[in-house]
């Protein structure tokens, strides 16, 4: 009994070794995902940022048509890289709304003039309140909201050219 | 040319380490003790050659030789000289080379100076040390050659992370590494003693200076690292329970326990198996620390040089050394004779409890740090941080303080409860008085800070009690060391408790001329100006500060800095240090309304945290000097030995 | 030489001034008037993980999203919510990863039990070593 106990430290160490070895072989995914996927869109109302372009609110969703909700900002670099893909999605008939975090009307006007305007509505999210309510942890992020007003997909980071088809397919499936 | 010379020296040093291992094995297993004489010159040669390799790397960095890959990736010709030199170890390859350099020099020192051990145990120790060195040489030469060239040579380098461009941090890695290597020497002694079954006071006395030295450097490293995080990150926090911080805390906890148990073994011949075990644990914690920092398997603010493949190499070394040592422990320690016996109520008893509490804290920190990996295995994404560690280790640490206060007041082997209570009168009085003073004035500060302050007072009194009624001139240096180190813990604890209880915070949008109050100070923004540094530019805010309304004004200038290579912005806090605390100012973002964000803190007695840390290290240093001197001159047997 | 320094200073000014969009209606770095509520908010911030920088809490991070989270926390506390309620609201959005104080559950009970187990094991080792040696 006593002798067997002497091997306990080695056993514990083997466990520790297996654990960190496992951690090394299978590095944890560092992407922070929203926990709201497959849940209804939370309640929110955002005023318009630009005159002539309506704001965004929860009651704009769930009318039977799935829509994309793009969390972005005119000051964010990857958002500029993402702009052509959003224009393509728009051309393919996907309706896109925006939550503009920490943005200004002037900045937004310049951005849309330079990179195109794929948005039907743009909400003015001053202190990123709605961004946090959505469980988003950076810009850009894109949520797909289905016809019943549920979040069915979250895309973290900028949408790349080869990801457009997948998003269109998901949008069709959400009808 | 210098780079090639460095690489050649490194290969030769590795060969010397291999030779040292063979010679040592020969002495241990064929009892040809005359070989011992050959080990010494080989160990010295190894130390010399590896130091030469390190020197070559530093030279290459000093000259900004952009044909060396490591220099390109981590330096820039516009950097100040201090950071060029620090760049030599501010990266993975260089820091590993520094590791083996210290290891090689330490190995040579053991071979030259150690005279207390018998030849076989000494040879086994040197062999174990050489085995560790061989592994790290292989790691350097196979997986992380610091002298690799790049062709064609680029015009200039990529720079060093601006957060690391700080005098404190230039010396932070060397300090920690000296600590880690010292622990590795202690580990080698433990392995040597297990191999020859000579686990006794002679072994403990040989090991003790290395444990003490390592512990002093680990203490300094943690203290300096904490102060760096405090002023550099710009939010006034000094400990975040971040994985990398935990990685440096765990070896310190193990070394602290080892330090106390090795003293029991050296003077009372007790706790034999426990001392061996702690030496193995301490070394495994320093290697796990290195692994966690280098492999990047945990998310951390401080992960600066991360590479999973190299992590695998360190992990393999860890498995060989620690697995081997633990297997040896399991096979051999049963045959080691039990040490001397003692009663539960005795100095040894208090040290055992102390060691166990330190080990429990160590276990909690280890489990908490690694738990996110366990959870990830089950597909759960979670975080373990400050609230968990505070709630679990906080109360245990306070319990530890109680035993720490009582320990030095107990007699060896056996003591009487009544006598102890009598000796504890003044410390308990200190605790009580602090509580009586604090409760009415500071009732809202929370249970832990309140207990921390009162226990700090009690511990402070208990710490100096061993000096009571003694001739201070004739008190041995290591008794002074113990007193100062324990007092340092009390001072540090008081600083921590005071910071969490009494800090005042003011966040403002400052406009020029408006006064803002924080604690006893008034702060006015006088103006903003651009500042040019060697490789950065900044906006500085000039703050005119007065203590109270009519005090003499002085200027603090916090900066928002912008570095171009690589492009990064940092906050340089400006701190005014006074006897009763620090005024901490940070310049934040500009506000659309035309002002500037300022973050101001008044932190009463916060400096005690690091002052206490420095006292602990000083205490360790005095003990070390006392022990080494005593090794030469016989001193009268002392009550506190 | 002097010319290039001036230029660098100007670049620095421009870059530091760049995020002029900053948080107007935000409570990211504005204290609440009620000191008790501010203390509650501060304590909560220290336990919420920054999702962008990852190694720090939102209470001591310069990242923009951390500032937004501080603002949301202060606003909700000001509106009368309890810290536990705000934490639950954040967990609902970001999962358990967001809190440094792992909530007790199926996955975390071994973690919270570990200190107790270690203490008991320590006490057992101490007892056995005293008994054996006292004999």
């Amino acid at each position: 009994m006593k002798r067997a106990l002497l091997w306990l430290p080695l056993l514990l160490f083997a466990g520790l070794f297996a654990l960190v070895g496992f951690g090394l072989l299978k590095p944890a995914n560092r992407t922070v995902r929203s926990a709201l996927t497959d849940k209804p869109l939370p309640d929110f109302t955002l005023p318009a940022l630009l005159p002539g372009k309506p704001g965004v609110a929860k009651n704009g969703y769930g009318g039977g048509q799935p829509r994309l909700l793009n969390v972005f900002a005119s000051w964010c670099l990857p958002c500029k890289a993402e702009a052509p893909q959003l224009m393509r999605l728009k051309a393919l008939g996907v309706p896109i709304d925006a939550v503009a975090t920490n943005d200004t009307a002037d900045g937004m006007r310049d951005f849309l003039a330079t990179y195109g305007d794929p948005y039907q509505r743009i909400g003015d999210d001053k202190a990123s309140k709605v961004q946090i309510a959505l469980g988003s942890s950076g810009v850009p992020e894109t949520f797909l909201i289905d016809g019943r007003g549920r979040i069915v997909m979250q895309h973290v980071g900028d949408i790349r050219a080869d990801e457009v088809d997948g998003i269109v397919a998901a949008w069709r499936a959400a009808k | 040319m210098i780079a090639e010379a460095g690489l050649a020296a490194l290969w030769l040093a590795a060969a010397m380490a291999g030779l040292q291992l063979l010679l040592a094995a020969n002495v241990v297993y064929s009892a040809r003790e005359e070989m011992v004489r050959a080990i010494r010159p080989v160990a010295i040669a190894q130390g010399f050659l590896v130091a030469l390799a390190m020197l070559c790397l530093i030279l290459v960095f000093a000259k900004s030789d952009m044909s060396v890959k490591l220099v390109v990736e981590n330096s820039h010709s516009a950097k100040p000289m201090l950071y060029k030199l620090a760049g030599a170890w501010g990266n993975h390859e260089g820091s590993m080379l520094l590791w083996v350099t210290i290891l090689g020099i330490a190995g040579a020192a053991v071979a030259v100076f150690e005279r207390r051990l018998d030849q076989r145990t000494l040879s086994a120790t040197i062999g174990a040390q050489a085995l560790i060195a061989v592994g790290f040489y292989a790691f350097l030469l196979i997986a992380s050659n610091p002298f690799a060239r790049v062709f064609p040579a680029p015009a200039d380098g990529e720079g060093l992370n601006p957060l690391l461009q700080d005098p404190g941090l230039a010396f932070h890695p060397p300090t920690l590494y000296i600590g880690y290597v010292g622990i590795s020497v202690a580990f080698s002694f433990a392995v040597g003693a297990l191999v020859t079954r000579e686990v006794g006071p002679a072994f403990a006395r040989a090991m003790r200076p290395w444990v003490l030295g390592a512990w002093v450097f680990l203490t300094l490293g943690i203290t300096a690292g904490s102060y760096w995080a405090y002023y550099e990150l710009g939010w006034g926090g000094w400990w975040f329970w971040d994985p990398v911080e935990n990685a440096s805390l765990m070896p310190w906890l193990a070394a602290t326990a080892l330090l106390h148990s090795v003293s029991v073994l050296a003077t009372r011949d007790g706790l034999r198996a426990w001392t061996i075990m702690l030496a193995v644990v301490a070394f495994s914690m320093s290697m796990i620390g290195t692994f966690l920092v280098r492999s990047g398997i945990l998310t951390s603010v401080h992960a600066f040089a991360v590479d999973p493949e190299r992590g695998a190499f360190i992990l393999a070394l860890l498995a060989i050394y620690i697995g081997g040592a633990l297997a040896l422990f399991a096979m051999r320690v049963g045959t080691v004779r039990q040490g001397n016996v003692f009663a539960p109520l005795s100095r040894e008893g208090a040290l055992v409890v102390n060691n166990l509490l330190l080990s429990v804290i160590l276990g909690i920190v280890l489990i908490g740090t690694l738990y996110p990996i366990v959870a990830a295995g089950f597909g759960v994404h979670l975080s373990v941080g400050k609230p968990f560690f505070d709630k679990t280790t906080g109360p245990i640490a306070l319990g530890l303080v109680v035993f720490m206060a009582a320990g030095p007041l107990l007699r060896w082997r056996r003591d009487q409860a009544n006598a102890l209570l009598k000796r504890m009168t003044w410390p308990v009085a200190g605790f009580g008085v602090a509580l009586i003073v604090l409760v009415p004035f500071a009732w809202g500060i929370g249970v832990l800070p309140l207990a921390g302050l009162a226990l700090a007072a009690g511990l402070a009194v208990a710490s100096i009690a061993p000096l009571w009624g003694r001739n201070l001139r004739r008190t041995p240096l290591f008794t002074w060391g113990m007193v100062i180190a324990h007092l340092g813990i009390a001072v540090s604890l008081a600083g921590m408790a005071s910071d969490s209880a009494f800090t005042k915070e003011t966040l403002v949008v400052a406009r020029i001329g408006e006064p803002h109050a924080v604690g006893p100070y008034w702060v006015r923004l006088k103006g903003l100006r651009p500042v040019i540094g060697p490789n950065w530019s900044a906006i500085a805010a000039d703050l005119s500060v007065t203590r109270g309304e009519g005090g003499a004004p002085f200027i603090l200038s916090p900066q928002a800095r912008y570095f171009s290579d690589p492009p990064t912005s940092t906050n340089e806090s400006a701190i005014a240090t006074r006897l009763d605390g620090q005024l901490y100012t940070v310049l934040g973002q500009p506000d659309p309304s035309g002002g500037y964000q300022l973050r101001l803190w008044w932190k009463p007695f916060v400096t005690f945290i690091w002052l206490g840390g420095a006292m602990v290290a000083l205490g360790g240093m005095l003990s070390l000097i006392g022990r080494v001197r005593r090794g030469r001159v016989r001193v009268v047997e002392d009550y506190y030995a | 030489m002097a010319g290039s320094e001036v230029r660098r200073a100007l670049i620095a000014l421009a870059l530091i001034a760049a995020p002029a969009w900053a948080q107007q209606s935000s409570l990211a770095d504005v204290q609440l008037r009620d000191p008790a509520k501010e203390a509650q908010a501060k304590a909560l911030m220290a336990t919420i993980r920054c999702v962008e920088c990852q190694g720090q809490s939102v209470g001591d991070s310069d990242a923009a999203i951390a500032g937004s989270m501080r603002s949301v926390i202060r606003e909700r506390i000001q509106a009368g919510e309890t810290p536990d309620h705000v934490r639950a609201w954040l967990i609902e959005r970001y999962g358990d990863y967001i809190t440094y104080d792992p909530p007790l559950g199926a996955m975390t009970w071994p973690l919270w039990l570990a200190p107790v187990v270690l203490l008991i094991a320590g006490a057992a080792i101490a007892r056995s070593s005293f008994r054996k040696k006292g004999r």
Side-chain angles (χ1 to χ4, degrees):
Chain A
M1 173 59 199
K2 177 115 199 310
R3 296 223 72 137
L5 267 181
L6 291 177
W7 291 92
L8 189 66
L10 186 62
L11 208 68
L12 288 175
F13 173 74
L16 181 70
F17 178 79
L19 178 66
V20 291
F22 167 81
L24 195 66
L25 288 177
K26 201 170 155 283
N29 188 357
R30 299 272 156 78
T31 318
V32 184
R33 300 209 150 262
S34 170
L36 287 180
T37 311
D38 296 324
K39 298 216 174 90
L41 199 61
D43 201 9
F44 71 93
T45 310
L46 283 179
L49 178 64
L50 298 176
K53 183 86 86 178
V56 191
K58 180 194 160 88
N59 60 22
Y61 298 85
Q65 193 196 30
R67 307 177 69 88
L68 290 185
L69 183 58
N70 182 227
V71 182
F72 91 117
S74 66
W75 44 263
C76 122
L77 272 175
C79 300
K80 292 170 183 166
E82 185 184 51
Q85 279 70 255
L86 292 180
M87 291 306 285
R88 243 183 81 204
L89 284 167
K90 181 195 180 187
L92 290 166
V94 181
I96 308 172
D97 304 324
V99 169
T101 63
N102 271 325
D103 224 324
T104 59
D106 288 346
M108 183 57 72
R109 246 188 300 265
D110 287 352
F111 182 94
L112 297 181
T114 315
Y115 300 98
D117 179 4
Y119 305 113
Q120 296 190 357
R121 312 163 184 159
I122 299 180
D124 181 12
D125 189 18
K126 266 285 175 280
S128 307
K129 247 193 273 183
V130 171
Q131 183 187 14
I132 290 170
L134 288 169
S136 153
S137 45
V139 278
E141 279 186 19
T142 307
F143 292 85
L144 172 60
I145 293 119
D146 73 1
R148 290 181 299 147
R150 297 173 74 84
I151 298 173
V152 289
M153 196 189 82
Q154 179 201 22
H155 185 284
V156 177
D158 54 317
I159 298 171
R160 305 287 164 87
D162 57 346
E163 290 165 338
V164 172
D165 293 342
I167 288 177
V168 174
W171 173 71
R172 293 226 168 86
K175 273 189 178 169
Chain B
M1 209 34 228
I2 298 173
E4 281 69 31
L7 188 59
L10 194 56
W11 273 105
L12 286 173
M16 289 296 142
L19 183 59
Q20 200 177 319
L21 179 58
L22 289 177
L23 287 171
N26 210 315
V27 174
V28 174
Y29 289 104
S30 63
R32 284 160 63 183
E33 304 211 342
E34 71 275 11
M35 290 285 225
V36 168
R37 262 172 283 154
I39 292 180
R40 265 187 198 130
V42 172
I44 293 167
Q46 191 213 327
F48 176 75
L49 285 164
V50 70
L52 189 66
M54 186 72 219
L55 192 68
C56 288
L57 188 69
I58 292 174
L59 271 178
V60 167
F61 267 85
K63 290 173 57 177
S64 291
D65 182 348
M66 291 303 162
S67 69
V68 175
K69 196 162 160 253
L70 198 63
V71 181
V72 176
E73 286 169 357
N74 297 287
S75 194
H76 191 279
S77 56
K79 257 191 344 186
M81 185 47 96
L82 174 65
Y83 302 125
K84 280 188 188 170
L85 301 184
W89 55 79
N91 58 75
H92 168 78
E93 288 86 347
S95 68
M96 288 328 279
L97 179 57
L98 180 66
W99 216 108
V100 291
T101 303
I102 300 169
L103 193 68
I105 293 171
V110 172
V112 172
F113 295 116
E114 185 47 55
R115 309 271 172 194
R116 277 162 288 204
L117 285 183
D118 64 286
Q119 301 289 20
R120 279 188 73 230
T121 309
L122 177 61
S123 300
T125 301
I126 289 173
Q129 190 71 10
L131 186 64
I132 296 171
V134 165
F136 279 92
Y137 282 123
F139 181 38
L140 266 171
L141 291 167
I142 296 168
S144 19
N145 175 10
F147 296 107
R149 295 269 189 186
V150 58
F151 185 83
D156 213 330
E158 293 160 16
L160 174 74
N161 185 334
L163 279 179
L164 301 182
Q165 295 190 23
D166 179 274
L169 220 62
F171 297 105
H172 180 58
T175 311
L176 271 185
Y177 284 0
I178 292 174
Y180 285 173
V181 168
I183 297 273
S184 88
V185 177
F187 171 80
S188 299
F189 274 111
V191 171
L194 272 180
V195 167
T196 59
R197 295 184 173 86
E198 296 289 338
V199 185
F203 143 78
R205 281 195 201 107
M207 177 160 109
R208 181 158 60 183
W210 291 95
V211 179
L212 259 171
W215 182 76
V216 166
F217 278 97
L218 288 178
T219 308
L220 281 176
I222 293 177
T223 308
S226 158
Y227 192 67
W228 170 81
Y230 169 77
Y231 75 74
E232 188 67 33
L233 295 180
W235 290 90
W238 49 270
W239 192 262
F240 300 89
W241 290 106
D242 176 89
V244 167
E245 292 171 351
N246 295 351
S248 73
L249 179 64
M250 290 189 288
W252 184 84
L253 288 168
T256 310
L258 175 60
L259 179 66
H260 290 93
S261 95
V262 82
S263 285
V264 175
L265 183 52
T267 48
R268 315 300 308 178
D269 194 13
L271 303 182
R272 293 179 166 202
W274 187 238
T275 303
I276 297 280
M277 190 68 214
L278 281 175
V280 177
V281 168
F283 181 57
S284 55
M285 286 306 140
S286 64
M287 281 203 63
I288 286 175
T290 312
F291 169 77
L292 288 179
V293 177
R294 293 287 160 210
S295 68
I297 62 170
L298 293 161
T299 327
S300 156
V301 216
H302 308 287
F304 290 117
V306 154
D307 185 340
E309 268 173 50
R310 285 163 183 167
F313 210 117
I314 301 178
L315 196 57
L317 292 179
L318 183 80
I320 296 167
Y321 298 145
I322 306 302
L326 287 173
L328 190 66
F329 176 84
M331 289 184 292
R332 284 286 162 88
V333 94
T335 65
V336 170
R337 198 175 53 81
Q338 277 292 342
N340 275 337
V341 298
F342 48 84
L345 190 69
S346 63
R347 177 86 66 85
E348 291 97 322
L351 281 168
V352 166
V353 174
N354 229 318
N355 271 354
L356 283 168
L357 289 181
L358 279 166
S359 307
V360 169
I361 294 175
L362 171 62
I364 294 173
V365 176
L366 183 65
I367 290 172
T369 306
L370 296 178
Y371 206 76
I373 305 178
V374 179
F378 291 90
V380 179
H381 210 31
L382 57 76
S383 309
V384 180
K386 190 171 162 51
F388 171 80
F389 292 112
D390 280 354
K391 280 182 214 171
T392 51
T393 61
I396 299 174
L398 291 182
L400 191 62
V401 167
V402 175
F403 282 96
M404 227 181 115
L409 301 177
L410 279 162
R411 290 188 193 286
W412 290 110
R413 296 202 55 199
R414 177 174 295 278
D415 205 343
Q416 302 301 322
N418 291 342
L420 173 67
L421 284 179
K422 210 168 159 188
R423 276 177 243 135
M424 286 291 281
T425 312
W426 286 108
V428 170
F431 172 83
V433 167
L435 214 54
I436 289 166
V437 170
L438 283 167
V439 166
F441 289 102
W443 181 242
I445 65 175
V447 176
L448 277 189
L450 192 64
L453 284 170
L455 283 171
L459 177 60
V461 177
S463 302
I464 48 177
L467 294 180
W468 198 250
R470 287 173 74 117
N471 181 343
L472 294 185
R473 287 166 155 273
R474 289 178 55 91
T475 302
L477 217 43
F478 43 77
T479 304
W480 277 106
M482 180 194 74
V483 166
I484 290 173
H486 282 200
L487 193 59
I489 296 283
V491 168
S492 199
L493 177 62
M496 294 172 194
S498 167
D499 178 48
S500 74
F502 302 122
T503 291
K504 295 270 183 290
E505 178 182 61
T506 302
L507 308 172
V508 287
V509 175
R511 283 175 198 80
I512 293 186
E514 280 177 8
H516 298 282
V518 54
Y521 286 94
W522 287 94
V523 178
R524 283 179 187 80
L525 177 62
K526 278 180 62 184
L528 295 148
R529 61 188 159 89
V531 183
I532 305 293
N535 56 344
W536 47 264
S537 34
I539 298 277
D542 288 321
L543 307 176
S544 167
V545 185
T546 54
R547 184 149 190 162
E549 263 299 1
F554 58 93
I555 301 285
L556 282 178
S557 303
Q559 299 179 353
R561 268 191 200 172
Y562 176 74
F563 287 80
S564 45
D565 309 294
T568 325
S569 42
T570 65
N571 274 318
E572 291 293 308
S573 54
I575 298 174
T577 305
R578 295 293 176 265
L579 281 178
D580 58 345
Q582 286 188 326
L583 176 66
Y584 187 117
T585 63
V586 179
L587 175 63
Q589 305 257 334
D591 190 84
S593 63
Y596 258 84
Q597 282 280 354
L598 286 181
R599 302 198 290 264
L600 312 169
W601 286 278
W602 165 242
K603 293 175 161 289
F605 300 107
V606 69
T607 37
F608 277 32
I609 298 173
W610 307 288
L611 176 69
M615 285 172 69
V616 173
L618 174 69
M621 217 116 64
L622 291 179
S623 291
L624 180 60
I625 295 168
R627 292 295 174 199
V628 172
R629 274 220 314 229
R630 187 186 171 134
R632 289 158 205 272
V633 198
R634 283 310 295 177
V635 183
V636 195
E637 189 60 35
D638 187 82
Y639 175 72
Y640 287 102
Chain C
M1 197 62 210
S4 90
E5 288 203 347
V6 170
R7 202 168 59 240
R8 273 207 288 151
L10 288 176
I11 292 171
L13 275 170
L15 278 158
I16 291 164
W21 41 267
Q23 313 137 354
Q24 275 161 332
S25 53
S26 156
L27 295 180
D29 294 300
V30 179
Q31 287 161 303
L32 299 178
R33 285 186 185 282
D34 179 352
K37 284 191 170 168
E38 172 66 16
Q40 282 185 342
K42 286 292 290 184
L44 179 59
M45 283 171 208
T47 72
I48 299 298
R49 185 168 200 149
C50 169
V51 285
E52 189 179 312
C53 30
Q54 297 213 349
Q56 288 162 302
S57 77
V58 299
D60 40 41
S61 166
D62 289 316
I65 189 88
S68 305
M69 286 214 183
R70 290 200 294 277
S71 174
V72 165
I73 288 170
R74 283 208 174 93
E75 213 167 281
R76 288 182 166 262
I77 298 279
Q78 189 173 37
E81 283 184 42
T82 64
D84 282 341
H85 195 265
V86 180
R87 185 200 309 279
W89 185 85
L90 282 166
I91 291 175
E92 206 180 295
R93 266 133 192 98
Y94 291 94
D96 285 347
Y97 187 70
I98 194 75
T99 171
Y100 274 122
D101 194 359
L104 194 62
M107 190 61 232
T108 55
W109 66 261
L111 174 69
W112 284 104
L113 204 62
V116 182
V117 171
L118 287 171
L119 269 178
I120 293 172
I125 293 175
R127 250 187 70 139
S128 75
S129 79
F130 289 142
R131 200 168 38 191
K132 185 175 60 226
K133 287 173 178 168
R135 212 181 277 164

